[in-house]
Amino acid sequence: MSPHEQPTAGHDGSGGAFGPLTRHPLNRRSFLTGVGGLAVVGGAAASAQAVTRPEVVAAPLGGRAGAAAAPDPLDLLKKMLSFDTQNFGQGGKTRQHAEWLKSVWDSAGVSAEIIPTPQPDNVHLIARIKGTTSAAPLLLLGHSDVVPVERDNWSTDPFAGTVKDGEIYGRGALDMKGANAASIGALLRHLSEGARFERDIIVLTDCDEEAGSYGSGWLAKNHWDKLDCGMVLTEGGWFLAQSDQTTPMLITVTRQDKVYFNLDLYAAGTATHSSKPMPDSAIVGLSRAVADLGDDLAPVHLTDVTREYFEALADATDDRRWAKAIHLMLKARSQPARERAAALVVKGSDYPYLHSALLRTTMAFVIEDAGYKENVIPSEAHVRVNCRGIPGGQKPRDFLADVRRKMTRRGIEVKLAAPAGVSEAEYLDQLDQRWAGEPADLDTPLYQAISQAAVQTYPSARFSPALFEAGTSLGPWREKGIPGYGVYPYVISNEQLIGMHGNDERIYVEALAKGTDFMHRVFGRFLA
């Protein structure tokens, strides 16, 4: 499909090569206020002592006379969203996006290379900003592919980058073209200011993160020399707000992902003519089993990583009643007491689904199929269950055993969805290894840079390392012992969080600008 490249109507002002832009007036001052360090309004650097303007103004970036202005991150994001890079399971068609982004890097004097995969129009892009020393490079890992859209359920064109009511809508606005725009925008700002970095910075824009055979694993196998580094930053940690859904509360960086695996549930029944229904219907039996599991919650497990996170959350929230519930959960000495307190924590959270996911192995019923003709009752029904376990919490093999025990009573067969050619026993061993994996070290220059940038950019919020409830493309680097971390560098509401992989995906325009300031500070720690 051809990308939608028309700018949003109703904007004026200069956006350089990326189309016209004027920011909406701000009504969320908490995103723009900062104490100490560098405060950036509309992309223009200003001292923190200067009075913050009540609206974002498009202004030149860069501190050198005659230096080319860096693009505004909102312009970058609007352009990124205009490319339809949906990934339906066989990789995204990312060539047009990559060719455009390569031209951006070329304009900034940065070497960039398109890496084709065996899949047509499915390409990676690698840019490398040369540093002044031989220190191990920092790699920025982003992906340009996005999950498919249900167009009829969107209020805007998902590939138009529409801005309304202070939010920018589009597939990938949150996951993760928004993060790419903030990070790349921050790097381009440094370059426009004439900055040099003390080590190479590699920017990989991946094409198969959401699905496909040619993602970071394929790239690492075939082009490791282009990816070898000392630290990696990718998607992950959430920037959460207080109950008003805008004031920064907790800034996190993830140092560990949950363990991803799938189960397949099968129900069997009598195949017969649809005019004579029988009580052993496979579809009915499976539906009842799914209803049972859907009401079930795996046990709460707290690890060192999640304990630190919830302790920071209790300290960060303005809701002291909720903080008390968190402390009760952390201090509980028995599993029943822990479960009761955890229920209060989830009930009182402004991000309940996130916090429930950080406490236990989760089940999501994602694909269901049965039958092939309307006058035939099928003999089998199937549902795919996506599961994510907590490293150091409940082992995937134990969770599988629990599900099998519950489903045996209903006559449901449960299979672990192992990769082709891998036995269940072998796959469980692989999952055990991931389950036992150590979180990324906190004693690294990148973690320190993220921590300091968080304090400078969001001085009223708490900062904490965290567990990512989802997964990333960090596998090839983690296998080699290279520390990897994750951030989505913008404050989001719970409603926006739900829009991830859903309908009307969007983020705050102000949060994107502030998140770019945050990333500018992160990379600023690596200046020569």
Side-chain angles (χ1 to χ4, degrees):
M1 298 178 66
S2 299
H4 304 270
E5 300 189 13
Q6 292 298 321
T8 302
H11 295 281
D12 55 15
S14 174
F18 297 86
L21 167 72
T22 293
R23 298 287 187 86
H24 284 254
L26 295 181
N27 54 16
R28 299 179 177 92
R29 65 176 177 80
S30 53
F31 280 133
L32 299 178
T33 54
V35 178
L38 181 72
V40 179
V41 180
S47 71
Q49 288 73 30
V51 177
T52 301
R53 297 189 179 189
E55 62 180 7
V56 180
V57 180
L61 297 169
R64 289 186 300 140
D72 185 279
L74 182 59
D75 287 341
L76 283 173
L77 179 53
K78 285 170 65 67
K79 188 67 175 181
M80 290 176 180
L81 295 174
S82 76
F83 293 99
D84 182 349
T85 55
Q86 291 178 90
N87 187 334
F88 294 92
Q90 300 300 319
K93 291 188 179 298
T94 58
R95 179 173 289 278
Q96 286 186 320
H97 179 282
E99 289 174 347
W100 162 77
L101 187 54
K102 183 178 184 303
S103 73
V104 174
W105 288 120
D106 289 343
S107 296
V110 176
S111 174
E113 178 183 9
I114 291 176
I115 308 292
T117 76
Q119 190 78 13
D121 293 325
N122 180 241
V123 306
H124 299 277
L125 178 68
I126 301 176
R128 193 176 194 111
I129 304 171
K130 297 298 293 182
T132 60
T133 74
S134 60
L138 164 63
L139 188 142
L140 180 64
L141 171 60
H143 63 87
S144 58
D145 63 324
V146 297
V147 297
V149 299
E150 300 173 347
R151 281 182 179 268
D152 291 344
N153 293 323
W154 281 66
S155 65
T156 69
D157 182 339
F159 301 105
T162 302
V163 176
K164 64 176 184 177
D165 299 328
E167 296 174 290
I168 178 166
Y169 288 66
R171 173 57 85 220
L174 191 158
D175 179 25
M176 73 168 290
K177 291 178 177 178
N180 293 343
S183 300
I184 293 172
L187 286 169
L188 292 173
R189 185 189 299 176
H190 275 299
L191 294 176
S192 75
E193 293 164 348
R196 297 288 304 277
F197 295 101
E198 48 89 22
R199 66 184 69 211
D200 286 7
I201 296 182
I202 306 167
V203 184
L204 166 60
T205 309
D206 187 4
C207 60
D208 271 16
E209 193 275 341
E210 298 293 359
S213 303
Y214 305 108
S216 62
W218 175 87
L219 193 62
K221 182 178 179 180
N222 292 278
H223 300 280
W224 179 249
D225 59 312
K226 303 177 189 298
L227 308 177
D228 194 6
C229 64
M231 303 161 287
V232 187
L233 179 60
T234 189
E235 60 189 327
W238 298 111
F239 292 12
L240 303 184
Q242 299 287 1
S243 294
D244 63 5
Q245 297 287 275
T246 57
T247 302
M249 173 180 69
L250 183 67
I251 308 303
T252 70
V253 55
T254 45
R255 55 191 296 227
Q256 193 174 37
D257 297 348
K258 291 185 79 173
V259 181
Y260 182 110
F261 60 101
N262 290 311
L263 304 180
D264 287 309
L265 276 54
Y266 295 91
T270 301
T272 187
H273 196 285
S274 62
S275 64
K276 295 177 289 295
M278 299 179 65
D280 69 343
S281 165
I283 292 176
V284 172
L286 184 63
S287 297
R288 289 172 176 158
V290 167
D292 279 354
L293 283 180
D295 291 335
D296 194 36
L297 289 175
V300 170
H301 282 267
L302 291 168
T303 66
D304 289 344
V305 174
T306 56
R307 279 186 175 278
E308 183 174 5
Y309 170 84
F310 280 104
E311 285 170 356
L313 193 61
D315 187 52
T317 180
D318 289 340
D319 185 345
R320 302 327 299 165
R321 186 174 181 179
W322 187 46
K324 183 177 180 181
I326 296 173
H327 287 306
L328 284 173
M329 179 183 71
L330 294 172
K331 294 176 181 178
R333 296 186 178 181
S334 68
Q335 190 64 26
R338 190 172 297 112
E339 297 286 348
R340 289 192 296 271
L344 292 175
V345 170
V346 172
K347 182 178 180 181
S349 174
D350 291 317
Y351 302 84
Y353 313 112
L354 169 63
H355 289 133
S356 180
L358 292 176
L359 289 170
R360 54 176 57 86
T361 303
T362 56
M363 292 180 287
F365 303 91
V366 292
I367 302 171
E368 186 172 19
D369 54 283
Y372 52 89
K373 199 171 186 297
E374 65 191 38
N375 63 350
V376 178
I377 296 175
S379 62
E380 185 176 83
H382 158 260
V383 66
R384 168 62 61 93
V385 186
N386 180 242
C387 308
R388 299 170 190 264
I390 296 175
Q394 183 183 28
K395 281 190 173 182
R397 66 173 64 246
D398 295 334
F399 179 78
L400 172 61
D402 284 348
V403 172
R404 279 183 170 154
R405 191 160 44 247
K406 293 169 184 174
M407 291 294 95
T408 297
R409 297 193 298 269
R410 288 200 171 274
I412 304 298
E413 181 182 12
V414 180
K415 294 182 180 180
L416 177 65
V422 179
S423 70
E424 179 178 292
E426 292 170 335
Y427 192 43
L428 285 172
D429 288 342
Q430 293 176 17
L431 294 175
D432 281 349
Q433 291 180 352
R434 295 178 202 167
W435 175 88
E438 291 294 322
D441 188 2
L442 299 186
D443 187 19
T444 67
L446 179 55
Y447 179 82
Q448 293 165 5
I450 295 168
S451 172
Q452 292 164 0
V455 172
Q456 292 170 345
T457 313
Y458 305 96
S460 64
R462 278 280 268 115
F463 171 78
S464 176
L467 170 70
F468 191 33
E469 81 283 1
T472 66
S473 295
L474 281 171
W477 293 273
R478 285 192 170 129
E479 290 172 3
K480 296 179 181 293
I482 296 171
Y485 311 90
V487 295
Y488 284 112
Y490 22 72
V491 175
I492 61 166
S493 68
N494 183 59
E495 190 175 358
Q496 291 169 341
L497 180 56
I498 293 172
M500 180 184 185
H501 285 206
N503 299 315
D504 279 350
E505 182 178 352
R506 62 201 188 273
I507 59 174
Y508 295 122
V509 172
E510 298 164 22
L512 175 66
K514 193 71 175 288
T516 305
D517 302 344
F518 167 82
M519 293 307 304
H520 187 263
R521 289 189 172 103
V522 171
F523 296 128
R525 301 295 301 181
F526 295 94
L527 294 179

